[in-house]
Amino acid sequence: MASKTRWPSKSPYAFSLWGSSLSLPLSLSLPLSPSLTFSLSLSLSLSLSNTHTCLVTDYYYEYTECDSVGSRWRVAIPHILGTCSALPTPTRGTDCSFSCAVGEFLEMSAQQCTPCAAGSYSLGSGVRFDQWDTIPAGFTSLATYMDPGPSGEESQACNSSSWTPQGVYLESSRDECTVSLVYAVHLEQQGSVSFSYQYPDNNIFFEFYVQNEQCQEMAQTDDQKWIKLTTNGEWDTHTVNLKSGTNILYWRTTGILVGGKMVKPVLLRNIQIEGVAYTSECFPCRPGWFSSSPGSSSCQPCPRNTSSNKGAASCTSCPDTQYSHEGWSQCKERPPCSEKDYFQIHTACDSEGKTQVMYRWVEPRICEENVTGAVALPPTGEREACPPCNPGYYNTNDSTCFPCPPGTHSDGTSVCEECPAGTEPVLGYEYKWWNVLPSNMKTSCFNVGNSKCDDMNGWEVAGDHIRSGAGGSDNDYLILNLHVPGFKSYGQNEHMAMIIFGRITFVFETMCSADCELYFMMSTTVVESWEGSKERQSYTHIMTRNASVSYTWAFQRTNQAQDVRRYISDVVILYSVSVTNVQDGVASACRACALLSQSSQRSGSCIPCPAGFYIDRDTNRCQECPPNTYLSGHHTYGEDACLPCGPGSKSNKEHSRCYSDCSFSHTEHNRTLTFDLSSLSPVASLTIGPSFTSKGTKYLHVFNVSLCGHQGKMAAVCTDNVTDLANKDMGSDSTQFVNSVDSFICQSTIIPADGRGFRMALASQSISLADTFLGEINLICVFVFDSLFLRSTQATGSCERGRSAVMTIRCNPEKMDHGQLTVPSACPAGTCDGCTFHFLWESGSACPHCTQDDYHQIEGACKGGVQVTLSVWNEPKLCTKGMSLPAKSSAPCEAIALWLKVGVGGGAFLAVLLVSLTFYFWKKNKRLEYKYSRLVMSANKECELPVADSCALAEGEEPEDDVVYSHKPSLLGKLRAIANKREGDSSESVQLKSSQSERWVWG
């Protein structure tokens, strides 16, 4: 509730008497919006006829606005105009700087400060808002959407977004709209504003800033503007100094709903402003609250089972059949008890080592067990043997478990024993039996709306597990906290590479019928969360920096505000918790350790091996791992703990990580390809988007890639800039590692500066995609590319094996220098399943070094006795650097070469020979034609041939119908026949070749 104040007017009152009437021009200032003050001038004419003289009860006093010299007047204003006359004459008022102390008000008749009566309160010169059944007068909730539509119009998607009153607090919008809570106040002097808030989710941005009456933002530091995060269920207070004059206060939130997960809202309560005008009256306590003594600055809530009316000085007890919670204005009838009103616990082990199950009512108990339909509390269970002690603890005679002394170990079932020589205890926490809560763990229950579960245990031990408790209502936070003071150190080069200092592993299960959620947090940052029912599973988180840290499990059955318990059977069960390498932990076993050198005076004592060293099995001394191997952990025993790096990679100096030094070779088909990726070693960035949420908020995915080099240091860094501002000066070492991610490949979600009206781009949800280099996997020649596999060791709820990334580096001579980084078109976000990411990096720098196989030579023509030889690259050119093209060379030559001369001569001879033979055969063919014609003409009769010289058959020949002709004579035979003819043989032999033919062929 706000304390009512008398706001000064913007101009002095003016009085003028005209006969029997009083003219009173009255100027009132009403704050309607952050930047608009509505001035209403009323001219009051008071008729003085037929009225009685004004009594004290007929009017009240008010101050005029301060003038330029800081003075003001006290005037009397009637309650009802025209009902009385003869008002008191205006008198000079107190100085404008005058104000009363807290618990007092300015009694206007005497102009003196007077203590408030019991049942009321006053802030003196301040105003407080602590009741949120509705948004108080003067406050305005404005929902805006900074991204205009395609035609410049404003989106209508945020019309229903608003700050919502929830009784004792105000809740911000849960969507991605920008929603501002605005309040304008005029201060007579310098003052301040302070408010209590709850801000558990870094996926919603929460800022507070102040403007003056010209809507100019006042100078504020980042610490004043950006509100720091709080732990789930915890309230914090933020205070900002204000200047005198008009101050317009803005509480603004913007949700980031990338991925579809609903954000947790910001809660706001107890807004108090100091430096306002005087308070002319005290204000009664609201119902359910009281103020027992005069001069109070605030009211207190009524205790449980009591109630009060407005302005009460004390609270009235409820009847036995009724109940109330703290701050209630009335009592309610007690319902019959049911199974939802009790829970079971395991008693601590007694002196005989026995425990038993007991049942208790949920406190505060509101149910009635002695009415019809009520259930009774179940009887206590049978006594049974206690579970054993947890590893690292031993059992005393009174069945109490105590930690083993330093240097000793126990499995929990036996006495503590010293570790043998050459070994040391393995320190850590291992909790798998839950008879009592360990001393470094605590449990609590918290409700953002009230304190009815503050005295409850959020979790209850149950022998072989610990489970969530009953709570006061379903939206309570049931909190389990484990404090770890730090981890053991590993050598002096911890800043050179990522070192795994320890791991926390827990096994859990959730069984829910509503929208329950389990949060696992490190300090104030949510590491992972699980919604709904989950089967029994294990989760591991790796610590890469040495710091004191608090791990928290927070379980909420539903995030809907309600005051009942409907889902009491929705539980989370934690079976075991294990933390390794804890600084002051206990030991369940021993391991081999490295000994000091023999020359040392303390020979035989254990020492930690430096980074990259293993313990030699033979000498128990520290021995450095071979080159290009890495250690999977520390205090490793034997050389086999040094694992070889993947192909194409090498280890850093500390042997803690494998990386690519930007160069490698590959031999295939008797050809060696050498690659140099040094030009790709600088951190590259890839921006994907823009993408839009369901309400149109624009966001981008930005990937930073550190491919090779940097001596194995993961140079790609993604930072949550708003979270970084919010976590400043939190006083915890944990802030150094929750706001940024160092990796080979990391991803951030960016809200552009023009997408929400912020003055800078907002980065959030930074994750590591690859912190382990697995090596070069594949190489294909022809169109060369190299696939590099990288993996993140951090498992998530959706990626049980962690995330992985495949970087394909492709040779593209057209993209020189840094090249171009892209993602597959089928998966525009770089991943299709959220766990495996694929990238393609095209660059000329990814081509192999040039060799002599990548060019060929071209010999020019012989000109002037000189022949020039040129070297040109093979097309397409798929190489860079390496061998350069040989210089142009020249050599002497003849104009006509000897082989050309011989060829020309031989060709001429063959041409003459062919012409001669052609002419000869042409002449011979003419002669035969002539003889044939003569033979035809001398025939005996038509169509008959002359009688042959001899037609007889030789002895032994068979007559045939067909004439058998000889084969076609060879060229040699023809030449021989020509020679015989030239010797004088006048006859010629004609060979016929036919078969029952009427055709005649002469030869």
Side-chain angles (χ1 to χ4, degrees):
M1 175 183 292
S3 59
K4 298 180 181 178
T5 57
R6 297 297 183 185
W7 300 94
S9 61
K10 291 293 182 181
S11 59
Y13 290 95
F15 298 92
S16 58
L17 295 176
W18 298 94
S20 61
S21 66
L22 173 65
S23 178
L24 181 61
L26 176 62
S27 176
L28 302 177
S29 297
L30 304 177
L32 299 181
S33 70
S35 58
L36 177 64
T37 300
F38 177 68
S39 296
L40 175 65
S41 297
L42 299 177
S43 180
L44 307 178
S45 297
L46 306 180
S47 175
L48 299 183
S49 59
N50 301 323
T51 58
H52 64 275
T53 302
C54 290
L55 303 177
V56 176
T57 57
D58 293 330
Y59 60 87
Y60 65 94
Y61 289 107
E62 184 64 275
Y63 278 137
T64 64
E65 187 171 336
C66 297
D67 58 21
S68 58
V69 296
S71 62
R72 56 189 175 186
W73 292 82
R74 188 196 70 176
V75 297
I77 301 176
H79 293 293
I80 301 176
L81 298 180
T83 57
C84 65
S85 60
L87 289 170
T89 304
T91 59
R92 184 172 294 275
T94 59
D95 294 337
C96 291
S97 59
F98 176 84
S99 63
C100 295
V102 294
E104 298 180 340
F105 71 101
L106 182 62
E107 205 283 311
M108 294 295 291
S109 60
Q111 298 195 64
Q112 293 180 352
C113 294
T114 304
C116 293
S120 63
Y121 73 98
S122 168
L123 297 177
S125 60
V127 58
R128 177 189 295 143
F129 302 92
D130 54 10
Q131 186 175 1
W132 303 96
D133 297 321
T134 60
I135 295 182
F139 281 88
T140 304
S141 180
L142 300 177
T144 58
Y145 198 84
M146 299 301 177
D147 285 333
S151 304
E153 73 277 5
E154 289 292 330
S155 171
Q156 303 297 315
C158 296
N159 290 346
S160 60
S161 301
S162 174
W163 285 80
T164 306
Q166 297 288 0
V168 295
Y169 61 87
L170 198 62
E171 181 180 289
S172 73
S173 175
R174 295 171 180 255
D175 56 28
E176 60 205 67
C177 297
T178 299
V179 183
S180 300
L181 180 69
V182 188
Y183 185 73
V185 60
H186 185 84
L187 302 186
E188 294 294 339
Q189 57 189 354
Q190 290 185 352
S192 64
V193 56
S194 63
F195 53 89
S196 299
Y197 69 93
Q198 191 178 115
Y199 177 27
D201 192 344
N202 60 5
N203 289 321
I204 189 170
F205 301 125
F206 181 29
E207 60 177 330
F208 172 78
Y209 61 97
V210 184
Q211 291 183 349
N212 58 21
E213 55 190 353
Q214 282 79 37
C215 296
Q216 297 173 335
E217 188 170 336
M218 298 183 181
Q220 289 177 265
T221 64
D222 289 337
D223 293 338
Q224 293 175 328
K225 181 175 181 178
W226 295 102
I227 311 301
K228 64 182 181 180
L229 291 169
T230 62
T231 306
N232 271 331
E234 299 294 331
W235 292 91
D236 204 348
T237 302
H238 188 76
T239 302
V240 175
N241 293 328
L242 302 177
K243 296 180 180 180
S244 59
T246 300
N247 292 265
I248 306 173
L249 313 180
Y250 287 82
W251 292 266
R252 186 163 76 168
T253 61
T254 302
I256 307 299
L257 300 185
V258 177
K261 186 175 181 180
M262 188 67 68
V263 298
K264 299 189 73 63
V266 174
L267 307 182
L268 196 62
R269 69 177 186 184
N270 295 345
I271 299 176
Q272 182 168 320
I273 303 172
E274 296 288 345
V276 299
Y278 61 91
T279 299
S280 60
E281 60 181 346
C282 295
F283 298 94
C285 297
R286 58 175 169 157
W289 294 61
F290 73 101
S291 173
S292 59
S293 58
S296 296
S297 61
S298 63
C299 299
Q300 305 299 319
C302 288
R304 295 190 186 108
N305 297 325
T306 63
S307 63
S308 68
N309 296 320
K310 182 178 181 180
S314 62
C315 300
T316 304
S317 297
C318 296
D320 293 340
T321 58
Q322 295 181 344
Y323 76 100
S324 71
H325 290 304
E326 183 180 75
W328 279 21
S329 61
Q330 59 183 355
C331 301
K332 293 184 178 181
E333 293 294 328
R334 294 182 179 272
C337 291
S338 66
E339 291 81 359
K340 298 180 179 180
D341 295 307
Y342 63 82
F343 63 96
Q344 73 173 33
I345 63 170
H346 282 70
T347 62
C349 289
D350 56 22
S351 59
E352 299 179 359
K354 300 291 184 179
T355 183
Q356 60 187 149
V357 175
M358 296 184 63
Y359 296 89
R360 292 181 179 175
W361 295 112
V362 174
E363 296 295 340
R365 177 182 165 189
I366 63 173
C367 66
E368 185 68 47
E369 59 180 330
N370 297 320
V371 295
T372 303
V375 299
L377 201 64
T380 301
E382 298 291 334
R383 297 175 71 239
E384 55 186 19
C386 289
C389 295
N390 282 309
Y393 289 79
Y394 68 97
N395 199 339
T396 61
N397 293 332
D398 60 355
S399 299
T400 303
C401 295
F402 289 94
C404 287
T408 64
H409 72 284
S410 171
D411 61 359
T413 61
S414 59
V415 297
C416 300
E417 299 178 354
E418 292 188 2
C419 290
T423 64
E424 63 179 354
V426 183
L427 298 181
Y429 300 143
E430 187 177 359
Y431 303 129
K432 60 182 181 180
W433 300 110
W434 304 92
N435 183 59
V436 293
L437 198 66
S439 59
N440 59 349
M441 298 183 76
K442 63 179 181 179
T443 179
S444 59
C445 177
F446 186 85
N447 188 291
V448 297
N450 51 60
S451 58
K452 62 185 178 183
C453 80
D454 287 354
D455 298 331
M456 296 182 183
N457 287 335
W459 294 63
E460 299 288 347
V461 295
D464 62 346
H465 66 270
I466 182 172
R467 59 192 294 149
S468 55
S473 60
D474 286 339
N475 65 334
D476 292 342
Y477 284 102
L478 307 176
I479 299 171
L480 179 66
N481 180 269
L482 169 63
H483 178 70
V484 178
F487 300 87
K488 294 185 65 177
S489 179
Y490 293 130
Q492 302 299 321
N493 296 322
E494 297 170 2
H495 64 284
M496 294 298 295
M498 183 188 73
I499 295 179
I500 298 177
F501 285 95
R503 289 179 170 88
I504 178 171
T505 302
F506 57 91
V507 179
F508 71 98
E509 179 183 14
T510 59
M511 293 173 286
C512 300
S513 58
D515 57 335
C516 72
E517 188 163 7
L518 172 65
Y519 301 90
F520 173 63
M521 298 180 292
M522 187 170 61
S523 297
T524 60
T525 301
V526 176
V527 177
E528 191 62 60
S529 63
W530 298 267
E531 296 179 352
S533 296
K534 298 295 180 183
E535 296 181 353
R536 183 168 177 168
Q537 59 185 278
S538 175
Y539 178 79
T540 299
H541 178 71
I542 297 175
M543 289 297 300
T544 58
R545 289 183 173 90
N546 195 354
S548 173
V549 63
S550 291
Y551 296 109
T552 301
W553 294 265
F555 180 68
Q556 190 180 37
R557 292 184 170 92
T558 178
N559 62 4
Q560 302 299 321
Q562 52 188 355
D563 194 35
V564 295
R565 287 185 293 123
R566 299 170 52 194
Y567 308 112
I568 190 66
S569 58
D570 292 4
V571 297
V572 56
I573 297 176
L574 199 60
Y575 293 98
S576 64
V577 177
S578 174
V579 187
T580 63
N581 199 45
V582 180
Q583 195 170 40
D584 65 345
V586 294
S588 59
C590 300
R591 64 185 170 198
C593 67
L595 302 177
L596 291 170
S597 62
Q598 297 179 356
S599 59
S600 174
Q601 296 180 354
R602 299 179 357 180
S603 179
S605 300
C606 289
I607 61 170
C609 286
F613 284 69
Y614 66 94
I615 302 172
D616 187 83
R617 295 181 186 273
D618 298 328
T619 63
N620 270 31
R621 311 290 177 187
C622 294
Q623 184 71 33
E624 186 175 5
C625 279
N628 295 331
T629 61
Y630 70 98
L631 280 174
S632 58
H634 291 272
H635 292 290
T636 49
Y637 196 63
E639 187 176 357
D640 54 355
C642 301
L643 305 178
C645 291
S649 63
K650 60 188 297 185
S651 65
N652 58 359
K653 294 180 180 180
E654 294 77 23
H655 296 277
S656 61
R657 179 186 298 115
C658 294
Y659 72 102
S660 171
D661 63 354
C662 300
S663 65
F664 61 92
S665 299
H666 176 77
T667 302
E668 188 173 276
H669 303 305
N670 297 324
R671 182 185 179 190
T672 300
L673 300 176
T674 302
F675 295 83
D676 181 8
L677 304 178
S678 56
S679 61
L680 304 183
S681 62
V683 177
S685 293
L686 170 64
T687 300
I688 299 176
S691 300
F692 298 88
T693 61
S694 59
K695 287 196 174 182
T697 297
K698 180 170 65 176
Y699 67 93
L700 309 170
H701 284 312
V702 176
F703 298 92
N704 291 330
V705 179
S706 172
L707 182 64
C708 60
H710 307 287
Q711 293 298 312
K713 180 182 178 181
M714 296 185 292
V717 179
C718 297
T719 303
D720 294 348
N721 59 357
V722 175
T723 305
D724 183 51
L725 293 172
N727 281 317
K728 275 188 174 182
D729 301 328
M730 289 186 67
S732 171
D733 294 336
S734 63
T735 59
Q736 62 178 322
F737 56 83
V738 296
N739 304 325
S740 64
V741 174
D742 300 344
S743 181
F744 287 120
I745 303 177
C746 61
Q747 176 193 20
S748 290
T749 301
I750 305 296
I751 306 298
D754 60 348
R756 276 288 169 223
F758 291 104
R759 293 162 180 79
M760 62 178 178
L762 303 179
S764 69
Q765 301 179 2
S766 296
I767 58 175
S768 171
L769 303 182
D771 54 29
T772 303
F773 188 88
L774 301 183
E776 170 263 324
I777 301 300
N778 192 15
L779 184 70
I780 298 179
C781 298
V782 180
F783 197 56
V784 182
F785 71 92
D786 175 31
S787 296
L788 303 179
F789 269 77
L790 305 100
R791 177 175 294 279
S792 172
T793 56
Q794 296 282 25
T796 66
S798 56
C799 303
E800 295 181 358
R801 300 182 59 188
R803 301 180 181 93
S804 61
V806 181
M807 177 64 67
T808 301
I809 306 163
R810 178 170 295 172
C811 167
N812 189 341
E814 296 181 357
K815 299 182 183 296
M816 298 304 296
D817 300 330
H818 212 51
Q820 182 180 9
L821 191 62
T822 58
V823 296
S825 57
C827 303
T831 178
C832 294
D833 59 3
C835 299
T836 301
F837 292 77
H838 294 269
F839 303 91
L840 173 63
W841 199 335
E842 293 184 274
S843 172
S845 302
C847 299
H849 284 181
C850 295
T851 65
Q852 60 184 4
D853 296 327
D854 294 307
Y855 68 89
H856 63 275
Q857 293 183 330
I858 300 177
E859 294 180 348
C862 185
K863 294 182 180 180
V866 178
Q867 185 180 39
V868 177
T869 302
L870 296 176
S871 298
V872 296
W873 295 113
N874 298 332
E875 293 295 338
K877 182 187 176 185
L878 297 177
C879 66
T880 58
K881 301 180 182 178
M883 179 181 292
S884 302
L885 281 177
K888 181 174 64 174
S889 62
S890 60
C893 65
E894 296 182 6
I896 301 178
L898 178 61
W899 66 269
L900 183 59
K901 294 178 180 180
V902 174
V904 172
F909 173 76
L910 291 176
V912 172
L913 178 60
L914 290 174
V915 170
S916 300
L917 290 174
T918 301
F919 179 75
Y920 166 75
F921 285 112
W922 178 76
K923 293 289 291 182
K924 183 177 179 179
N925 186 58
K926 286 293 186 180
R927 186 180 294 116
L928 290 175
E929 289 180 356
Y930 174 73
K931 289 182 178 182
Y932 172 73
S933 62
R934 291 289 302 271
L935 182 61
V936 172
M937 292 174 62
S938 62
N940 293 332
K941 55 182 177 179
E942 188 178 1
C943 297
E944 289 186 1
L945 290 175
V947 179
D949 292 339
S950 176
C951 295
L953 294 174
E955 185 178 354
E957 292 182 352
E958 294 291 332
E960 293 182 2
D961 292 336
D962 294 338
V963 179
V964 180
Y965 303 93
S966 66
H967 293 289
K968 185 177 181 180
S970 65
L971 178 62
L972 181 59
K974 289 182 178 182
L975 294 177
R976 187 177 297 164
I978 294 172
N980 292 336
K981 179 181 178 183
R982 289 179 180 177
E983 291 177 0
D985 188 359
S986 61
S987 64
E988 294 185 5
S989 173
V990 179
Q991 295 182 348
L992 300 178
K993 187 177 182 181
S994 178
S995 175
Q996 300 178 357
S997 177
E998 295 182 355
R999 296 179 303 136
W1000 302 95
V1001 180
W1002 299 86

